[in-house]
Every structure is written in structure tokens, then in C-alpha cells.
């Protein structure tokens, strides 16, 4: 079990125009805790924050300035979570911040350059790279992609639809079993055997995402998206299986409805987004309070899905994305305050191991057979039915491997079944008799050949003498003629 608080990081988005000096500052002290100080000019304090206060200071595990590259973000934030996932622990990374602060860029990445890849594609690359290196276990990887839009869940990887309108995608509903485990009905799981297959699923899901334009961001996502990697691992011959989930979450924008400048359908969207984030904040506050008996996970779909990630069996990391321009300072301060409350939550992550029921059934069946055989020997009630052809063949294979083994300490294990023991002795006797018969045959053949050798020499000498006699007779007849 690993006990730790939720890790919080901050990332400052580069501004379009040159940043005015004095808006924020980053301080790194010797205790490895980083602090971000935001300075609020008096002319911007229009009622959203305390008018008498001009400086706000927040602490994070690490703060990434405007120059931070995607590779550094992955190495420091996502890689440790991916490593813990490979070790058997659940993991979650979620980005929180206002629209346009860089959440989607951080989680998914940009499409213009390869170096702009975000946490999801880099994590997939890292996981499959490690799986190829580790040959001691058998791994199975599945991908799911859930979108929560207006408090309704949709499967972005439905194989029957591609780039269709959102309403045509299958709706995902939440089911809860008696053990309070959450199950998502209609959310499809797709196996990915290679990095390329996993990235293709990511591309398909991103294509199906609901996109709407707002005055704040011309390509703003108006929904929460949860990309999940389901990883199963098992050692060959072992009945223990590990099932792990890694959630990579891109939340919708956290800004106030009045600031979005939208109406109609988009206003309804913004209200649902703020409501779900409000419920998320309620859960965070409830978890941070001691002696709190009820945690309102069921208030929203997102908090229900992320129940384990918030105050449960998971190693969770939050990225607070900040857009520190003058007009966005109040939202950035609100995001930082939310992150400070998140940092108070303690999770207890455990290894997600369980026994494979199929392997366990086979193991128990063999154990039952062995116990029956031992009981029969102890009571004297031996089994009378004949061994099957498969059992006889298996016994002969065991005997052959036992005889070929050069180790003097090797043993022939056939259990306590007297039928099998008698068959083994019978087979050994047959092999010994066959060997003696073969040796006798070889010996008699050698003797016969040895006896035949002198006869052949004597016959050869006799023929040679007869040939010389005939030659002499021919010479005599020639001389006479």
C-alpha cells in the first residue's frame, strides 16, 4: 500500500503578447517546494476577489513557466504515474483550469509539430516501450474514451460511428454493484497490441469529440473527456492477475458563465460544466475535512467515474493550467485555490491483484484428484475403473522424460493413484524386456557372423587351388598341341 496526497503541479501558458512584468513570480526554495506568487493590480480588483489584498501565494510540487516544453511536462508529471501503473497501481492525471489555459494542449498535445505531443500520446509510447522490454509477464492492453457532455456520457470509440454528431453515439450509463464498484454500461473497450493501434484509437476519439466555439477560445472543448488505459498482466503459469487503470482526464473550462459571453445552447453547456466542476469541488472539500462521513460522489457523473481517483485506491496527479494575463488573473487565483484544497486529499493505493478464476479452477480440480487418490490409499479402497488413453499417453511421456533426465535427483511424480503406479512398473518391465530381447538378437547375429568368417576363408583357399590346377592343365594341353 502506498499512502500519499494528491500531487499538484502548475503550468503557466505563454501569452500572445509580451507579458507585463510583475504579474507573477516563481520562487524555488531549498525544501524543494515551489511557490507561485500572483500580484493583483488594484485597477483589476472589480469585486471578484478581496479588494484589499494585492498578493496571493500558492505552493506546488513544481511550477512550469511559459518556456516549459512538452517533454519536460511528461518526464516530471506523467512518467512517475505511468511507472506506478506498470507496477500494478491505479493512476490518474487530470488538468484543471479555465478555457484557453492549455489543458487540452497539455493532456493531448498540439497537431502542428511532433514535439508538441501531449501527455496521452507520450504515455502510450512509454508504456508500450516498457512492455516490449519486459518479457517476464504477459500483458494485455485495452483503451476506452469517455466524454461527459451536459451530464450525459458518450462512448467516443463506438465502432459503428466515426465523426458523427454526438447524439448518435451510444449513451454511457453508470451502474453500481453491491460492493459500491462503478461499472460503465455501453462504454466499449478496444484492445491495442501496439502503440500505433492505441494512437489510432486516440485519434478516432478526438475526431468524435464535441467542439464548440466560444469568444474565449476558437477551438474550445465544451465537455469533460476521460481517456483510460486498462492494463492486465500475468506471469506465465501463475494464477495471479493484475488489472490496472490509468485515467488521463481533460476537464472542461472552469470560468464563470458570465465571462464566456455565450447564450442559448452554449449557455446551457456552460451551466452544466460549472455544475459538474462545482460538484467536483464539493467532493474535494468533503475529502479534505476530517471526520466527514458522507462524500457526495453520486452528485455528478464525473465524480462517480473518478471515485477511486479522488480519495481512493489511486495515485493521482493534478495539473493546474494558468493563463496569467490581466483579464484572467481572478480565474487563475480561483484555480490555484482549488489546487491547494486538492493537495490535502490522501489516497491509499494498493496493488490490484486477483486470482484468475479459470486457472484457479484447473488448479483446484487437480488438487481434488490428488486428494481422492491419497484418500483411496489411506482407506484401501482403490479405484477400479481403467485409465483413459489420454492418461496412459501422459504417463508414458512422463516416463520418457524421466529416463532422459540426467539429473540423479530427478523424481517421477505420478501422484498417489495405484493404477498409475502399477502402469508405470508395467511399462518399466516392458522396456527392460524389450532391451534384453534386442541385446540377445544383436549377440546371436554377431556370433553367427564370427562363425561364418573361417568358413569363408577355407572356401576361398579351395577355389584358389582349383583355379591353379585348371591353369596347369591348360598349359599342358597347349604344349602338347
Amino acid at each position: 500500500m502506498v499512502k500519499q496526497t494528491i500531487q499538484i503541479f502548475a503550468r503557466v501558458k505563454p501569452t500572445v503578447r509580451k507579458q507585463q512584468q510583475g504579474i507573477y513570480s516563481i520562487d524555488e526554495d531549498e525544501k524543494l517546494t515551489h511557490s507561485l506568487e500572483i500580484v493583483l493590480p488594484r485597477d483589476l480588483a472589480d469585486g471578484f476577489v478581496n479588494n484589499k489584498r494585492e498578493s496571493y501565494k500558492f505552493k506546488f510540487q513544481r511550477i512550469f513557466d511559459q518556456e516549459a516544453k512538452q517533454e519536460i511536462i511528461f518526464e516530471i508529471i506523467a512518467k512517475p504515474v505511468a511507472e506506478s501503473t506498470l507496477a500494478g497501481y491505479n493512476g490518474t492525471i487530470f488538468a484543471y483550469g479555465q478555457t484557453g489555459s492549455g489543458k487540452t494542449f497539455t493532456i493531448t498535445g498540439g497537431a502542428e509539430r511532433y514535439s508538441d505531443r501531449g501527455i496521452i500520446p507520450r504515455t502510450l509510447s512509454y508504456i508500450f516501450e516498457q512492455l516490449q522490454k519486459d518479457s517476464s509477464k504477459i500483458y494485455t492492453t485495452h483503451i476506452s474514451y469517455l466524454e461527459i457532455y451536459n451530464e450525459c456520457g458518450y462512448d467516443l470509440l463506438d465502432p459503428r460511428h466515426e465523426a458523427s454528431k454526438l447524439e448518435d453515439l451510444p449513451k454511457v450509463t453508470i451502474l453500481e454493484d453491491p460492493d459500491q464498484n462503478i461499472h460503465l454500461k455501453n462504454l466499449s473497450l478496444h484492445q491495442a497490441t501496439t502503440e500505433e493501434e492505441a494512437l489510432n484509437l486516440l485519434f478516432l476519439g478526438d475526431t468524435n469529440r464535441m467542439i464548440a466555439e466560444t469568444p474565449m477560445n476558437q477551438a474550445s472543448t465544451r465537455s469533460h473527456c476521460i481517456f483510460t488505459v486498462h492494463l492486465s498482466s500475468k506471469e506465465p503459469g501463475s494464477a495471479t492477475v493484475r488489472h490496472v487503470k490509468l485515467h488521463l482526464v481533460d476537464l472542461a473550462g472552469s470560468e464563470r458563465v458570465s465571462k464566456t459571453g455565450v447564450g442559448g445552447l452554449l449557455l446551457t453547456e456552460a451551466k452544466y460544466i460549472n455544475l459538474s466542476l462545482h460538484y467536483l469541488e464539493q467532493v474535494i472539500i468533503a475529502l479534505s475535512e476530517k471526520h466527514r462521513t458522507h462524500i457526495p460522489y453520486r452528485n455528478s457523473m464525473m465524480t462517480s467515474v473518478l471515485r477511486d481517483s479522488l480519495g481512493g485506491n489511486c495515485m493521482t496527479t493534478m495539473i493546474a493550467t494558468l493563463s496569467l494575463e490581466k483579464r484572467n488573473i481572478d480565474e487563475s487565483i480561483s484555480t490555484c485555490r482549488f489546487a491547494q484544497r486538492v493537495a490535502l486529499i490522501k489516497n491509499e493505493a494498493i496493488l490490484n491483484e486477483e486470482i484468475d478464476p479459470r486457472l484457479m479452477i484447473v488448479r483446484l480440480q487437480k488438487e481434488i484428484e490428488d486428494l481422492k487418490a491419497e484418500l483411496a490409499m489411506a482407506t484401501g479402497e482403490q479405484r477400479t475403473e481403467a485409465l483413459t488413453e489420454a492418461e496412459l499417453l501422459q504417463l508414458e511421456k512422463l516416463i520418457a522424460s524421466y529416463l532422459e533426465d540426467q539429473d540423479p535427483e530427478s523424481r517421477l511424480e505420478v501422484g498417489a493413484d495405484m493404477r498409475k503406479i502399477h502402469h508405470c512398473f508395467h511399462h518399466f518391465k516392458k522396456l527392460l524386456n524389450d532391451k534384453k530381447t534386442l541385446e540377445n538378437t544383436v549377440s546371436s547375429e554377431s556370433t553367427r557372423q564370427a562363425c561364418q568368417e573361417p568358413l569363408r576363408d577355407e572356401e576361398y583357399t579351395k577355389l584358389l587351388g582349383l583355379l591353379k590346377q585348371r591353369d596347369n592343365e591348360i598349359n599342358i594341353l597347349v604344349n602338347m598341341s
Side-chain angles (χ1 to χ4, degrees):
M1 179 184 294
V2 178
K3 295 183 179 181
Q4 69 171 28
T5 58
I6 295 180
Q7 305 293 295
I8 58 171
F9 298 87
R11 186 181 191 185
V12 180
K13 180 188 177 183
T15 54
V16 177
R17 52 188 176 273
K18 188 176 181 181
Q19 177 65 49
Q20 182 179 351
Q21 296 297 321
I23 296 294
Y24 75 97
S25 62
I26 298 174
D27 181 28
E28 302 179 11
D29 59 22
E30 66 279 358
K31 296 180 181 179
L32 297 178
T33 58
H34 299 231
S35 61
L36 173 68
E37 183 177 7
I38 299 176
V39 179
L40 179 64
R42 286 187 177 276
D43 58 334
L44 287 181
D46 53 356
F48 291 115
V49 291
N50 189 345
N51 206 15
K52 297 179 181 179
R53 188 172 176 183
E54 295 184 0
S55 176
Y56 296 83
K57 201 167 187 178
F58 306 98
K59 290 186 177 181
F60 294 88
Q61 261 78 32
R62 183 75 180 267
I63 302 168
F64 299 93
D65 207 346
Q66 302 180 21
E67 305 299 325
K69 303 296 183 184
Q70 294 282 67
E71 183 180 359
I72 300 298
I73 298 293
F74 168 76
E75 288 290 332
I76 297 177
I77 298 178
K79 188 176 179 180
V81 180
E83 289 174 345
S84 66
T85 300
L86 292 170
Y89 298 94
N90 290 334
T92 298
I93 302 174
F94 70 94
Y96 181 92
Q98 71 178 105
T99 299
S101 60
K103 298 186 303 298
T104 302
F105 181 78
T106 300
I107 295 294
T108 305
E112 296 181 1
R113 295 177 297 180
Y114 183 75
S115 59
D116 287 342
R117 290 177 304 148
I119 285 177
I120 295 179
R122 290 178 184 270
T123 301
L124 292 175
S125 299
Y126 178 77
I127 287 177
F128 280 99
E129 179 184 347
Q130 298 304 310
L131 297 188
Q132 289 181 352
K133 292 180 181 179
D134 187 5
S135 58
S136 62
K137 295 185 180 69
I138 302 171
Y139 289 95
T140 307
T141 308
H142 290 81
I143 304 293
S144 67
Y145 207 169
L146 170 68
E147 179 177 26
I148 302 175
Y149 174 71
N150 289 357
E151 276 304 299
C152 294
Y154 297 93
D155 181 14
L156 291 175
L157 298 180
D158 180 47
R160 296 167 296 175
H161 302 90
E162 184 173 349
S164 60
K165 60 181 181 179
L166 190 67
E167 288 75 11
D168 292 337
L169 292 173
K171 279 193 174 184
V172 178
T173 55
I174 292 180
L175 301 176
E176 188 173 345
D177 61 19
D179 297 329
Q180 294 187 342
N181 296 317
I182 294 296
H183 303 276
L184 298 174
K185 184 180 179 182
N186 293 333
L187 182 64
S188 60
L189 285 180
H190 299 260
Q191 185 171 0
T193 56
T194 63
E195 177 189 346
E196 182 181 2
E197 292 179 4
L199 291 175
N200 286 338
L201 291 170
L202 172 62
F203 176 76
L204 172 62
D206 286 340
T207 303
N208 289 334
R209 285 185 69 170
M210 181 66 177
I211 301 296
E213 294 183 354
T214 70
M216 296 191 68
N217 188 351
Q218 292 302 307
S220 170
T221 51
R222 308 304 304 152
S223 59
H224 312 295
C225 288
I226 303 175
F227 184 90
T228 307
V229 180
H230 304 259
L231 187 64
S232 301
S233 62
K234 184 186 72 171
E235 294 183 359
S238 173
T240 303
V241 185
R242 289 180 179 177
H243 297 289
V244 190
K245 292 185 294 185
L246 174 59
H247 295 303
L248 302 172
V249 187
D250 180 14
L251 298 177
S254 61
E255 66 279 349
R256 294 175 178 82
V257 173
S258 60
K259 197 167 185 179
T260 59
V262 295
L265 176 61
L266 294 183
L267 177 61
T268 304
E269 292 175 1
K271 288 180 180 178
Y272 272 112
I273 291 168
N274 277 16
L275 187 62
S276 64
L277 292 176
H278 168 68
Y279 288 138
L280 174 62
E281 190 169 349
Q282 280 189 338
V283 170
I284 298 298
I285 293 172
L287 288 168
S288 62
E289 293 178 355
K290 293 183 179 180
H291 310 297
R292 182 71 176 263
T293 56
H294 173 67
I295 309 299
Y297 289 116
R298 292 189 182 92
N299 283 354
S300 73
M301 185 173 190
M302 183 179 61
T303 52
S304 298
V305 174
L306 298 180
R307 173 184 291 185
D308 279 344
S309 304
L310 305 169
N313 172 28
C314 190
M315 302 183 72
T316 306
T317 297
M318 172 189 169
I319 308 171
T321 56
L322 309 172
S323 177
L324 292 175
E325 296 182 354
K326 278 189 175 183
R327 61 190 178 92
N328 297 327
I329 285 183
D330 52 346
E331 296 291 347
S332 298
I333 292 174
S334 176
T335 299
C336 291
R337 283 175 169 166
F338 179 76
Q340 304 306 300
R341 287 193 288 268
V342 170
L344 299 175
I345 300 173
K346 290 184 178 180
N347 282 358
E348 296 182 359
I350 61 174
L351 280 176
N352 295 278
E353 292 183 337
E354 62 182 31
I355 303 298
D356 188 343
R358 293 172 298 178
L359 293 176
M360 198 62 187
I361 288 172
V362 173
R363 181 178 294 180
L364 290 174
Q365 287 175 340
K366 184 179 184 305
E367 186 176 345
I368 289 171
E369 290 295 323
D370 293 342
L371 290 173
K372 283 182 178 179
E374 290 182 13
L375 182 62
M377 288 188 69
T379 59
E381 298 178 1
Q382 296 298 325
R383 300 167 68 177
T384 57
E385 64 270 17
L387 294 171
T388 64
E389 290 293 332
E391 289 175 326
L392 294 174
L393 183 62
Q394 181 66 22
L395 282 175
E396 292 176 5
K397 286 183 179 179
L398 287 174
I399 293 172
S401 61
Y402 170 70
L403 293 175
E404 292 173 359
D405 193 351
Q406 301 298 322
D407 184 6
E409 301 295 330
S410 63
R411 300 173 62 182
L412 178 61
E413 300 286 352
V414 295
D417 192 342
M418 290 304 299
R419 299 173 303 163
K420 295 182 179 180
I421 295 174
H422 286 315
H423 179 77
C424 288
F425 277 109
H426 174 74
H427 193 72
F428 276 126
K429 187 174 183 180
K430 180 176 178 298
L431 291 176
L432 184 62
N433 290 335
D434 290 346
K435 184 179 180 182
K436 287 182 178 179
T437 303
L438 181 62
E439 289 177 351
N440 291 335
T441 304
V442 171
S443 176
S444 60
E445 182 68 23
S446 300
T447 304
R448 186 178 64 81
Q449 290 180 357
C451 294
Q452 286 179 353
E453 288 298 329
L455 293 175
R456 289 178 180 176
D457 292 343
E458 184 179 350
E459 186 177 355
Y460 174 75
T461 305
K462 184 177 179 181
L463 290 172
L464 188 60
L466 184 61
L467 181 60
K468 287 183 178 180
Q469 183 179 353
R470 292 290 182 268
D471 286 340
N472 291 332
E473 291 175 354
I474 292 171
N475 290 332
I476 293 170
L477 290 173
V478 169
N479 293 330
M480 289 176 63
S481 64

